[in-house]
Amino acid sequence: MGKTTRKLEVVSPVPADIDIANSVQPLHISEIAQELSLSSQHYDLYGKYKAKVLLSVLDEIGGSEDGYYVVVGGITPTPLGEGKSTTTVGLCQALGAFLDKKVVTCVRQPSQGPTFGIKGGAAGGGYSQVIPMDEFNLHLTGDIHAITAANNLLAAAIDTRIFHESTQSDKALFNRLCPPNKEGKRKFCDIMFRRLKKLGIDKTAPEDLTPEESSKFARLDIDPASVTWRRVMDVNDRFLRKITIGQGPEEKGMVRETAFDISVASEIMAVLALTTSLADMRERLGKMVVGNSKAGDPVTADDLGVGGALTVLMKDAINPTLMQTLEGTPVLVHAGPFANIAHGNSSIVADKIALKLVGPGGFVVTEAGFGSDIGTEKFMNIKCRYSGLKPQCAVIVATVRALKMHGGGPQVTAGRPLDKAYVTENLGLVEAGCVNLARHISNTKAYGVNVVVAVNAFSTDTEAELNAVKNAALAAGAFDSVICTHHAHGGKGAVDLGIAVQKACENATQSLKFLYPLDIGIKDKIEAIAKSYGADGVEYSEEAEKQIEMYTKQGFTNLPICMAKTQYSFSHDAGKKGAPSGFILPIRDVRASIGAGFIYPLVGTMSTMPGLPTRPCFYEIDIDTSTGKVIGLS
């Protein structure tokens, strides 16, 4: 057992998550860093229990060998979640605290949307959690706040530029963009050379530009109807799904409709998750396309002169946050894109740092959001393309509860008691629902990785039901299938899973296979993904057709696809359970995240701003004013 690991004193029944988290005194984060051989020059402390690991550590250890790389996905979940984060943490506690392996957990930062909304936090649960749980689920080290600030600075820059261009001549615009200094001389600032290069102008002095060149340089001529960049906030606020801006007296005639997205849906979040270095992040932020000129040319953040400022706002956010599990194993928390409306994976830089820190024989376990049709698919086809990393093992988390639902069980609704079908033995429902698990296994195996199924056991599950899931997983081609009790017992309850994952990694032989090549058309890639869902075909709205045509014309066809789709079904319809087939997948709209590096189709009625339920989680959240401790977080 590693020297930083701690023995958990578990009790039954399992107390509330926040009570368990508050009952364990975290180790000082410097102890966790020391166990990973991180010197103090490679991290900055954020209080006693959090630290930012600096990217400079890769300059020293970048040449060393990687450890094993494991991704955790799931079957199609119920609205209650099936314990995927809990399984990720429990597996790591088992590997580090019981199997004496060097291990790092890589997870996303939770959004305030679900934390205060319906789903709760994302620190895991029971005796398999990241701590301090309240800090993890709330502000952490401010990365989402930085994303919100950067996103909204860009939104302000767009509308302000449209406003100023509407009231000034080309000459006045140019003179204001390149004002004379005290000696009466004009000069371009550094970022302006990016726009000049894009326009094919190789002159370095403002006075050398012809009137035509100075006009092209100064006037972006953004078509307001083409602006795709939205403002964001990290709260579920359905009333911001459609808003009107520009109603102030000084902005008369500048009214336009727009919307807010939730912060984790911002392209800047996707950039953070997919970047590989500070220089790479600077380029990606500058390349973000916010709309088109009236001539149909894409307008970028660098065209607006704001790419450098965005990077400055993000300069600390690029560093992953070091935390710990209940049993003292290390965790890197970084980025937090949703998997249903974004690509749903933590950052490439956190994974790369972790793989070097654990070294050969060590394990990095990273979580992909929701079911494997969403999170694992995007992990493989987007994240692994940009990282160049290949997982040796994919874990699929399954529960008897979810499989009963897929087998035809009654509807599961968050906040309402479970129907008796879910708390009493019903082998028929379980066996019927295993078609969902089988499709997740076959889809994941197609990437060339070994698949281990983790059956997350609940107290109401019977031995016969658990064994039925285990046997169905093996019959569907899983490398192994293991029953886990990490929620109730911590790492001890996931030891068998840890052993299975180790064997799967040691027996990995195949190279990574992608679902589609990048050099085919946008529609061909969308249709390849739709086929993996079980669809017979794809139907595009008129708006989607127009967007695909425009992105093709603009030269963006070589990017991977990030489907924005419901997490509750393989199809676009959350009501279609099991393993539906023969349906037509409707694509409502197609958008582009050019800086992040993907095209994202919106499937069906998918919204990028969730709403609050009648009874949100915030009813339970409060503070004990005598101790200062947070209560009620889940």
Side-chain angles (χ1 to χ4, degrees):
M1 193 179 283
K3 61 187 174 187
T4 62
T5 57
R6 69 168 73 79
K7 185 174 172 59
L8 280 178
E9 299 294 333
V10 304
V11 298
S12 181
V14 179
D17 291 349
I18 188 70
D19 294 336
I20 294 173
N22 286 340
S23 73
V24 174
Q25 178 60 42
L27 298 162
H28 195 282
I29 201 64
S30 60
E31 293 183 57
I32 305 294
Q34 191 175 1
E35 189 71 8
L36 286 171
S37 304
L38 278 170
S39 65
S40 57
Q41 72 196 55
H42 288 140
Y43 62 89
D44 289 337
L45 292 172
Y46 277 63
K48 296 176 185 175
Y49 309 123
K50 305 187 298 289
K52 281 280 196 180
V53 179
L54 307 179
L55 265 56
S56 58
V57 71
L58 285 172
D59 297 334
E60 281 189 27
I61 63 173
S64 56
E65 284 186 62
D66 289 349
Y68 291 122
Y69 194 30
V70 180
V71 60
V72 179
I75 61 169
T76 306
T78 69
L80 305 177
E82 308 319 305
K84 187 157 43 56
S85 300
T86 310
T87 303
T88 302
V89 175
L91 169 59
C92 291
Q93 290 180 174
L95 287 166
F98 289 88
L99 297 173
D100 206 25
K101 302 295 180 186
K102 213 164 183 182
V103 63
V104 174
T105 314
C106 289
V107 290
R108 292 169 292 163
Q109 178 185 350
S111 161
Q112 285 183 185
T115 298
F116 292 111
I118 195 165
K119 194 168 179 285
Y127 287 100
S128 295
Q129 294 188 57
V130 180
I131 55 171
M133 185 254 231
D134 56 336
E135 294 182 32
F136 177 85
N137 279 320
L138 299 175
H139 305 284
L140 198 61
T141 45
D143 294 355
I144 294 181
H145 300 317
I147 288 162
T148 304
N151 184 101
N152 294 342
L153 173 63
L154 180 50
I158 295 163
D159 289 305
T160 300
R161 186 60 172 262
I162 295 170
F163 170 76
H164 287 306
E165 287 192 17
S166 72
T167 57
Q168 297 178 50
S169 66
D170 291 353
K171 186 176 180 181
L173 267 174
F174 185 79
N175 288 342
R176 285 188 170 92
L177 287 167
C178 303
N181 60 18
K182 289 178 182 176
E183 289 80 41
K185 292 197 170 185
R186 301 178 187 275
K187 62 177 243 179
F188 293 120
C189 61
D190 287 346
I191 199 169
M192 290 177 173
F193 288 108
R194 292 174 179 252
R195 174 150 179 82
L196 290 166
K197 184 180 178 183
K198 177 180 173 179
L199 294 170
I201 301 169
D202 59 3
K203 297 170 183 177
T204 57
E207 57 267 22
D208 292 342
L209 268 62
T210 66
E212 184 189 2
E213 288 171 335
S214 63
S215 175
K216 277 171 68 180
F217 166 78
R219 190 167 293 280
L220 301 181
D221 203 27
I222 298 169
D223 177 3
S226 77
V227 174
T228 53
W229 196 262
R230 296 174 166 193
R231 288 155 173 84
V232 299
M233 63 187 300
D234 195 34
V235 173
N236 290 356
D237 191 345
R238 67 175 67 241
F239 282 88
L240 295 178
R241 288 173 180 170
K242 192 173 190 180
I243 61 166
T244 305
I245 59 169
Q247 297 194 52
E250 292 182 20
E251 291 75 40
K252 199 170 181 182
M254 303 293 294
V255 172
R256 75 176 178 91
E257 280 190 349
T258 182
F260 271 76
D261 288 337
I262 194 161
S263 295
V264 290
S266 170
E267 183 175 353
I268 296 177
M269 174 62 87
V271 167
L272 177 66
L274 293 171
T275 195
T276 53
S277 67
L278 184 62
D280 177 66
M281 183 171 75
R282 170 64 187 87
E283 293 306 308
R284 286 174 180 268
L285 291 173
K287 285 195 301 186
M288 294 188 304
V289 172
V290 301
N292 300 319
S293 70
K294 287 170 184 168
D297 298 318
V299 177
T300 66
D302 273 347
D303 287 329
L304 286 155
V306 74
L310 301 180
T311 311
V312 168
L313 285 170
M314 293 293 294
K315 72 178 178 64
D316 296 323
I318 196 173
N319 299 312
T321 300
L322 181 65
M323 295 188 76
Q324 63 192 284
T325 68
L326 284 168
E327 297 189 66
T329 60
V331 179
L332 284 179
V333 187
H334 205 211
F338 281 1
N340 53 359
I341 55 179
H343 81 285
N345 284 269
S346 60
S347 76
I348 286 173
V349 292
D351 290 359
K352 286 196 163 185
I353 289 170
L355 285 164
K356 300 298 181 188
L357 290 174
V358 300
F363 291 83
V364 171
V365 182
T366 188
E367 180 194 359
F370 292 125
S372 67
D373 56 319
I374 301 181
T376 306
E377 184 271 306
K378 294 169 183 178
F379 172 86
M380 301 291 185
N381 291 306
I382 301 175
K383 185 176 178 180
C384 288
R385 280 190 203 270
Y386 286 120
S387 70
L389 300 172
K390 175 197 179 294
Q392 287 77 39
C393 173
V395 175
I396 295 177
V397 179
T399 62
V400 166
R401 176 178 68 195
L403 292 171
K404 283 180 174 179
M405 178 190 71
H406 289 295
Q411 188 173 336
V412 176
T413 306
R416 290 186 192 169
L418 283 168
D419 186 274
K420 67 177 183 180
Y422 295 106
V423 293
T424 54
E425 184 171 280
N426 191 321
L427 277 174
L429 281 182
V430 175
E431 288 165 353
C434 281
V435 293
N436 183 269
L437 173 60
R439 182 177 288 173
H440 282 291
I441 292 170
S442 61
N443 279 7
T444 306
K445 277 185 70 181
Y447 295 110
V449 297
N450 286 331
V451 173
V452 173
V453 172
V455 187
N456 187 16
F458 289 70
S459 59
T460 51
D461 300 337
T462 68
E463 189 177 347
E465 289 174 330
L466 292 168
N467 285 331
V469 180
K470 188 174 173 179
N471 294 335
L474 295 171
F479 179 88
D480 204 348
S481 181
V482 181
I483 295 164
C484 308
T485 60
H486 44 273
H487 182 273
H489 302 118
K492 186 179 179 182
V495 168
D496 289 346
L497 177 61
I499 293 168
V501 165
Q502 182 180 346
K503 285 179 183 172
C505 288
E506 290 169 348
N507 286 278
T509 53
Q510 293 179 295
S511 57
L512 184 60
K513 299 169 188 170
F514 297 117
L515 189 57
Y516 52 82
L518 290 181
D519 59 1
I520 60 175
I522 292 172
K523 281 189 174 181
D524 294 327
K525 285 181 268 202
I526 292 172
E527 283 152 25
I529 298 171
K531 190 177 175 185
S532 77
Y533 297 157
D536 271 0
V538 179
E539 184 178 79
Y540 300 91
S541 71
E542 188 181 338
E543 180 62 26
E545 292 276 11
K546 275 166 53 183
Q547 293 298 106
I548 290 169
E549 186 182 346
M550 182 183 70
Y551 294 139
T552 302
K553 194 170 155 187
Q554 291 175 342
F556 299 141
T557 56
N558 64 336
L559 296 174
I561 300 296
C562 181
M563 298 286 251
K565 179 185 82 73
T566 178
Q567 67 270 34
Y568 296 127
S569 172
F570 272 108
S571 75
H572 58 285
D573 180 354
K576 289 183 187 291
K577 304 302 181 186
S581 59
F583 57 91
I584 302 298
L585 195 75
I587 305 297
R588 183 180 93 243
D589 195 5
V590 178
R591 299 176 190 168
S593 292
I594 303 305
F598 54 72
I599 302 290
Y600 68 105
L602 273 67
V603 180
T605 57
M606 202 64 221
S607 171
T608 48
M609 171 55 89
L612 288 169
T614 308
R615 175 65 156 71
C617 292
F618 61 62
Y619 272 83
E620 306 292 340
I621 298 169
D622 213 323
I623 195 159
D624 183 331
T625 54
S626 60
T627 64
K629 284 192 172 183
V630 173
I631 53 177
L633 269 177
S634 60

